[in-house]
Amino acid sequence: MPCVISLGFDYHPAEPNIILPAGISFYTFTTLCYTIDMYQKRSEPVKSLLDFSLFVTFFPHLVVGPIVRPPQLVPQFESPRKASLKQFTDGLLLLTLGLFMKVVLADSMLSATADAVFEAKDVLHTLDAWIGVLAFSGQIFLDFAGYSTCAIGVALCLGFVLPQNFNYPYAAIGFSDFWKRWHITLSSWLRDYLYIPLGGNRHGKVKTYFALMATMLLGGLWHGANWTFVAWGGLHGLYLWIERYLKDRRNAAHIHKEPSDAIEVRRHPWLSFFYSMLTFMLINITWVFFRADTFGKSWQLLQSMFGLVGDGKALLTTLAIFKVSIIIPILVLFHWFMRNTKVLDVAYKLSWFWLGLVWSSLILMLIWAQESGSSFIYFQF
């Protein structure tokens, strides 16, 4: 940088670099929803500046969420909080589970494979490309849901209850169902403060499709100032368009009452599972744009995945392929069988012996994988 002599002193102009505080996007969402809710008189204002400051900066969810609305947290500040023994135990269990998801599975088992594939310069073999994308699919869920589980667990240890942020999204049947299960607090925020104000589904099909696409594009842009994130959001918007169009056609065929998701699964379990797997595979295509740095890299990887470039380079080791081939199917099946229940509900049904065995196994694997120290993926958003 050029040096400027001014009044006998060496002056070095500061580099034009902005250092953003940690978690700025999440507490921006939090303060926005508070401001909008106050303006529209949806909730009562916080009674004190101290409570408002605590609401905005409550440390368990500050950096990566869940995104909390005023009625979900502020009333809990009105009286001193003291965690019960059950809350404290549940919180520690969730904290252990979240760390296991992040440290053992996301970091130790999947991250290296995903990084190798997405950072490769050469065109890859079809198997390697798919394994890398599946590895990232598992990594981003286990990383992000792991943090959310930790945040909910830590808050519970302090006597506070935070909203659920993930509900087994890889068992979703369709893309609207996926967004009811993935990053639930962001999905509901986008729905209430973008989709509905843009018209929602109240002003005809054209405006509904416009609102859907605009919401998903802005949701993609929120993740980063890169056109690949916009493409990720646009692809989800396209999926939702197609799904909405097919539902409209089905409604036009005089099917006035659609069965609930749970009823549909009970009636046609294998067909529902097929739709769930189709949804999962299409979601994997969107993760290519989310993880890749450029469109060129995204297109190269998509070509490799669908065998459009002939024989590509075999990059991954047999062990890496084996790990992903075991972890991802188990993860997807776990989501499917747990889709309508909760981890704590399952824990309550276990005997103390089996619960202690599972819990101690998670802790031992955490100790074994303690060399992992990478930050959470969503710290960058």
Side-chain angles (χ1 to χ4, degrees):
M1 182 179 295
C3 177
V4 178
I5 304 300
S6 177
L7 300 178
F9 295 97
D10 290 344
Y11 172 68
H12 298 272
E15 295 183 6
N17 186 25
I18 300 175
I19 301 176
L20 297 177
I24 183 171
S25 58
F26 284 90
Y27 63 73
T28 298
F29 272 139
T30 300
T31 52
L32 268 176
C33 72
Y34 177 82
T35 303
I36 295 171
D37 285 354
M38 293 304 105
Y39 177 77
Q40 297 182 343
K41 301 185 186 303
R42 292 179 182 173
S43 58
E44 296 295 325
V46 179
K47 296 179 181 179
S48 72
L49 178 61
L50 182 62
D51 284 351
F52 175 76
S53 301
L54 180 58
F55 164 67
V56 175
T57 61
F58 189 58
F59 78 90
H61 77 97
L62 174 64
V63 182
V64 188
I67 301 169
V68 182
R69 311 284 183 89
Q72 294 173 319
L73 189 57
V74 171
Q76 299 184 58
F77 300 154
E78 295 178 356
S79 59
R81 310 302 296 181
K82 184 178 180 180
S84 64
L85 178 61
K86 180 179 179 299
Q87 284 181 316
F88 188 74
T89 305
D90 290 350
L92 288 179
L93 178 58
L94 291 176
L95 177 60
T96 305
L97 178 61
L99 289 174
F100 170 78
M101 293 165 66
K102 160 64 177 174
V103 176
V104 177
L105 296 178
D107 286 354
S108 298
M109 297 293 184
L110 298 175
S111 64
T113 302
D115 291 344
V117 168
F118 278 92
E119 293 172 7
K121 304 298 182 182
D122 301 317
V123 174
L124 300 178
H125 189 276
T126 298
L127 177 62
D128 290 53
W130 272 105
I131 289 295
V133 174
L134 288 170
F136 179 72
S137 180
Q139 180 196 4
I140 192 170
F141 165 75
L142 292 164
D143 186 285
F144 193 12
Y147 179 92
S148 296
T149 305
C150 289
I152 294 170
V154 170
L156 202 57
C157 288
L158 299 174
F160 295 91
V161 178
L162 296 182
Q164 185 178 9
N165 209 25
F166 287 87
N167 187 24
Y168 309 108
Y170 290 154
I173 303 174
F175 301 98
S176 58
D177 188 30
F178 175 80
W179 283 104
K180 292 175 184 176
R181 295 172 177 273
W182 177 274
H183 204 346
I184 299 170
T185 56
L186 174 64
S187 301
S188 61
W189 197 99
L190 293 173
R191 179 197 65 208
D192 295 342
Y193 298 103
L194 275 178
Y195 177 69
I196 292 176
L198 287 171
N201 56 2
R202 298 169 297 172
H203 303 291
K205 296 180 181 179
V206 174
K207 288 190 175 181
T208 297
Y209 290 164
F210 169 78
L212 273 175
M213 183 58 76
T215 300
M216 296 313 301
L217 288 173
L218 290 171
L221 187 61
W222 168 78
H223 285 85
N226 193 326
W227 286 109
T228 54
F229 290 119
V230 178
W232 170 80
L235 195 52
H236 272 283
L238 178 61
Y239 288 161
L240 291 168
W241 268 10
I242 295 172
E243 183 179 82
R244 183 81 187 190
Y245 173 75
L246 294 176
K247 285 185 177 180
D248 289 342
R249 287 195 61 181
R250 188 165 62 178
N251 291 338
H254 307 292
I255 300 179
H256 298 295
K257 185 177 180 181
E258 298 180 12
S260 70
D261 181 47
I263 295 175
E264 191 72 23
V265 170
R266 288 198 298 270
R267 287 180 178 176
H268 310 287
W270 289 108
L271 184 60
S272 298
F273 183 73
F274 169 76
Y275 286 142
S276 176
M277 293 303 96
L278 178 61
T279 302
F280 174 66
M281 297 311 294
L282 292 173
I283 292 295
N284 276 281
I285 295 175
T286 70
W287 289 135
V288 173
F289 292 97
F290 193 93
R291 176 63 175 81
D293 297 328
T294 63
F295 282 115
K297 180 59 184 176
S298 301
W299 177 240
Q300 176 182 299
L301 193 54
L302 288 172
Q303 286 180 307
S304 299
M305 290 168 65
F306 294 101
L308 301 178
V309 289
D311 293 333
K313 179 181 178 181
L315 176 69
L316 301 176
T317 65
T318 303
L319 178 60
I321 295 174
F322 178 77
K323 285 193 297 185
V324 176
S325 300
I326 294 297
I327 293 172
I328 300 303
I330 291 176
L331 175 65
V332 172
L333 288 174
F334 183 81
H335 278 215
W336 178 257
F337 289 111
M338 291 285 291
R339 67 193 317 275
N340 293 317
T341 188
K342 296 179 180 179
V343 169
L344 290 179
D345 292 338
V346 174
Y348 296 150
K349 296 177 182 178
L350 295 176
S351 66
W352 66 267
F353 173 80
W354 286 108
L355 179 59
L357 182 63
V358 172
W359 198 342
S360 59
S361 299
L362 296 180
I363 294 174
L364 286 173
M365 284 186 280
L366 272 170
I367 296 172
W368 168 70
Q370 64 180 334
E371 70 274 6
S372 173
S374 59
S375 63
F376 289 89
I377 293 175
Y378 263 68
F379 277 11
Q380 62 185 297
F381 303 132

